[in-house]
Amino acid sequence: MTDDGTTTAAATGTLGYEQARDELIEVVRRLEAGGTTLEESLALWERGEELAKVCRHWLEGARARLDAALARPEEPSEADGPTD
């Protein structure tokens, strides 16, 4: 992180969903608390936008995986017995 509480965009791409979500919560908390300069507020807002994109990317990927899993034909389980 830099002094103004932001990290580089490159580091954003390596964040997991939970990390991005937790940092986004902290950014929102700081913005809502006030007491920051206009420049700090803008930097926080920009960071929040980056983090929201990371979260959205992870959630879209999870949705795609779920959709793919649900679209697969159901395979008989061993409990169903032989398929002869």
Side-chain angles (χ1 to χ4, degrees):
M1 283 200 171
T2 60
D3 292 340
D4 65 359
T6 61
T7 59
T8 64
T12 302
T14 62
L15 289 176
Y17 172 77
E18 289 81 5
Q19 293 169 308
R21 181 203 58 211
D22 291 346
E23 188 178 340
L24 180 56
I25 290 168
E26 178 61 21
V27 165
V28 170
R29 186 198 62 74
R30 288 181 61 193
L31 284 169
E32 288 177 341
T36 57
T37 67
L38 177 59
E39 192 62 35
E40 290 169 333
S41 294
L42 288 172
L44 286 167
W45 180 270
E46 290 170 345
R47 180 62 179 159
E49 289 291 328
E50 291 174 7
L51 293 164
K53 286 178 187 175
V54 170
C55 289
R56 194 168 29 255
H57 172 77
W58 278 105
L59 292 172
E60 288 170 356
R63 169 55 64 193
R65 289 176 61 191
L66 285 171
D67 290 344
L70 292 172
R72 278 189 232 130
E74 193 171 320
E75 297 178 13
S77 67
E78 291 180 22
D80 293 336
T83 58
D84 296 324

